[in-house]
Amino acid sequence: MMALAATTLFTATACGGDDDGDTPGGDKGTSVVLTAPAYKDQATVMNITGGNADGITQLRMMDSGAYMITREGGSQTRATRASDATSYEFGKYSYSGGTFTFDNGMTMSYEPSGTGYDVTLTWKNGTTVKTTGTIDTSSAVTPGTQTDNLCSRPWTIEKVMVTAIVEGTKLGKEFSVPVNLANVKAWYEENFGTLKDQFEANTIIQGIYFDSKGLFAINYQNRKADVGIWRWKQMDAGTLSYTWNDRANAISLFTGEASVSFEKSPEKCKLILKGTVDRTDLEFVFTLR
């Protein structure tokens, strides 16, 4: 059974500047430790291989206590484009006595069986189904303080500063929560012309997720989540790279490289994503909490 980690916040002199994760970007010479990931030891990616699972193909329990359920076809948990065959559901889970309990009312437990696992799912209405699965261990990210900091929580946005540079002209605008990318689009088009990404009226970012198994996801209110994989590019500098699973439909403003830095108090993260639209270089600085 897992004990919740205590909230820890301190600084300590870092030893050396190699790529070991002990010197978070933006805070050279000190080690910033945020709340330790609550479920670091229980974080699991279960790929469902059998039937009876209501279209579920993957259950991802993240270090932070957040989950992502992936479904193919059939059951849709939120409105998505008609062409989308995959849907994602995000929420929080708890763990006790070998059972994961999700805030959508579902529970999951598993035990070894042959080369895989026998998986037991119980829906909100009490119906229990049996299926099979395998644990994905292929997506581990280099561990360290920096990884723990990034994966310590499901991040929500406090504000975002968008800066655009085109032909020597630099413009910036701060957007407060809820961060609606339709408003970013309107600001962009007032200054630079048509934006290729067509945001719906309420393309609101609800959460940003990282886990130590390699997940990077941006969850939206009424648009399918952008989900991909991430790796450290230079951990001690706080730089990382990522690739979207569905490149054709991902928001092209966010195009593959990012940097992070952490504040000691209050516990916050600054995430910088960059992209290029036509002749315009864009930088998004998300203040996360």
Side-chain angles (χ1 to χ4, degrees), residues 45-174:
V45 180
M46 176 65 72
N47 292 321
I48 301 299
T49 57
N52 304 319
D54 193 29
I56 295 174
T57 58
Q58 187 181 87
L59 292 160
R60 180 181 290 263
M61 284 68 71
M62 305 179 213
D63 321 53
S64 60
Y67 68 78
M68 184 181 80
I69 298 175
T70 303
R71 286 183 169 89
E72 296 292 343
S75 176
Q76 297 290 314
T77 59
R78 78 159 34 92
T80 60
R81 299 170 182 169
S83 61
D84 289 339
T86 305
S87 66
Y88 303 99
E89 178 182 355
F90 294 87
K92 295 181 180 180
Y93 72 88
S94 59
Y95 178 85
S96 179
T99 298
F100 295 89
T101 300
F102 302 84
D103 65 5
N104 65 358
M106 185 180 79
T107 65
M108 188 273 280
S109 61
Y110 61 88
E111 58 184 19
S113 177
T115 59
Y117 295 87
D118 288 331
V119 179
T120 300
L121 299 173
T122 302
W123 310 131
K124 185 176 183 179
N125 64 6
T127 301
T128 297
V129 300
K130 303 284 188 178
T131 186
T132 57
T134 59
I135 292 179
D136 183 355
T137 60
S138 64
S139 303
V141 172
T142 305
T145 300
Q146 185 82 319
T147 299
D148 284 351
N149 285 349
L150 191 57
C151 301
S152 64
R153 68 197 64 201
W155 295 100
T156 57
I157 298 173
E158 184 174 281
K159 62 183 178 180
V160 60
M161 170 63 75
V162 181
T163 302
I165 303 174
V166 57
E167 296 180 350
T169 299
K170 182 176 182 179
L171 291 176
K173 182 176 176 62
E174 183 174 284

Side-chain angles (χ1 to χ4, degrees), residues 236-285:
D236 61 344
T239 59
L240 57 95
S241 59
Y242 59 91
T243 303
W244 299 123
N245 292 349
D246 184 358
R247 297 184 187 184
N249 290 319
I251 291 182
S252 62
L253 294 176
F254 310 132
T255 54
E257 293 192 358
S259 62
V260 294
S261 60
F262 301 94
E263 297 180 11
K264 302 183 194 67
S265 182
E267 297 179 2
K268 292 183 182 180
C269 168
K270 285 194 176 180
L271 172 68
I272 302 176
L273 302 181
K274 295 184 179 182
T276 301
V277 178
D278 296 329
R279 299 168 295 114
T280 308
D281 293 325
L282 291 168
E283 179 182 86
F284 289 72
V285 180

Side-chain angles (χ1 to χ4, degrees), residues 141-210:
V141 172
T142 305
T145 300
Q146 185 82 319
T147 299
D148 284 351
N149 285 349
L150 191 57
C151 301
S152 64
R153 68 197 64 201
W155 295 100
T156 57
I157 298 173
E158 184 174 281
K159 62 183 178 180
V160 60
M161 170 63 75
V162 181
T163 302
I165 303 174
V166 57
E167 296 180 350
T169 299
K170 182 176 182 179
L171 291 176
K173 182 176 176 62
E174 183 174 284
F175 297 85
S176 57
V177 293
V179 177
N180 189 339
L181 292 181
N183 295 335
V184 177
K185 170 185 168 68
W187 168 77
Y188 177 95
E189 293 190 334
E190 286 175 4
N191 294 282
F192 303 109
T194 302
L195 183 64
K196 290 188 292 186
D197 277 300
Q198 298 302 307
F199 300 129
E200 299 169 6
N202 289 296
T203 308
I204 294 172
I205 299 178
Q206 293 189 309
I208 295 178
Y209 303 85
F210 292 89

